[in-house]
Amino acid sequence: DWLSMIYTAFYPFVFAPCAHYVEAEGMLHEGLRKAAVANAVGALLRWASCASRSFLMLLAGQAICAAAQGITLGAPPRIAAVWFAEDELGAATGAGVLANQVGPAVVYFAAPRIVDSDGRGMSTLLAAEAFAGLVVAGLVFLIPAEPARPPSRLAAGRGARERTTLGQFV
């Protein structure tokens, strides 16, 4: 069943390039924007596959969403480091990781209530996912890359320290 296995198949190949991309200075926010747009496009393709009855289109949408997870799954600790003070990092990271699991859990709960055994309702479910993806992609563009005021002195100096450390390493 490639619709579910594609996530596991893609992750080892997309994780390292995505991690390298978001580690570049200022690329976390840009990476999250691109991942949100990719998820929205993938969800739209999956929804469109209902009208065209194209498995290839469905698989392509699923593959795009799977590729985007290379950024989204590793994002919570990076977001927490930018937006939260040191004493809040654990809770913020935990909340972000939990949020990555709540979305699929909601769909696992809702899907059998929307889609019957004959597949009726699948278009409705995928339309709801596409709408949610578009809303989230739009919201990501409203969020600034970092807070106006760093949450701590350590966060304020984090960028300069990382550049120095990287420069010394290279």
Side-chain angles (χ1 to χ4, degrees):
D1 183 22
W2 273 100
L3 290 179
S4 62
M5 290 185 345
I6 198 162
Y7 280 86
T8 305
F10 269 46
Y11 192 71
F13 298 104
V14 299
F15 174 73
C18 289
H20 176 73
Y21 176 76
V22 298
E23 288 297 324
E25 184 181 338
M27 290 292 113
L28 172 62
H29 192 248
E30 186 68 25
L32 289 172
R33 284 178 169 179
K34 288 179 179 179
V37 169
N39 274 316
V41 168
L44 286 169
L45 279 174
R46 292 187 311 209
W47 179 44
S49 74
C50 289
S52 67
R53 304 189 70 73
S54 169
F55 180 75
L56 188 58
M57 185 181 290
L58 176 65
L59 190 62
Q62 196 79 341
I64 291 169
C65 291
Q69 81 171 348
I71 292 176
T72 58
L73 289 182
R78 292 178 177 97
I79 293 169
V82 172
W83 284 89
F84 295 92
E86 286 76 26
D87 61 332
E88 300 169 327
L89 288 178
T93 300
V97 169
L98 181 63
N100 274 334
Q101 305 307 315
V102 169
V106 168
V107 174
Y108 293 147
F109 176 78
R113 287 152 180 78
I114 298 171
V115 181
D116 66 15
S117 60
D118 294 329
R120 285 186 299 269
M122 181 60 77
S123 181
T124 303
L125 176 66
L126 294 177
E129 287 182 6
F131 177 75
L134 288 169
V135 168
V136 169
L139 290 175
V140 167
F141 282 88
L142 297 177
I143 299 171
E146 57 190 30
R149 199 174 114 233
S152 66
R153 288 184 189 169
L154 184 62
R158 186 174 287 134
R161 260 193 330 281
E162 288 174 356
R163 280 189 303 276
T164 302
T165 304
L166 182 60
Q168 292 170 347
F169 179 74
V170 174

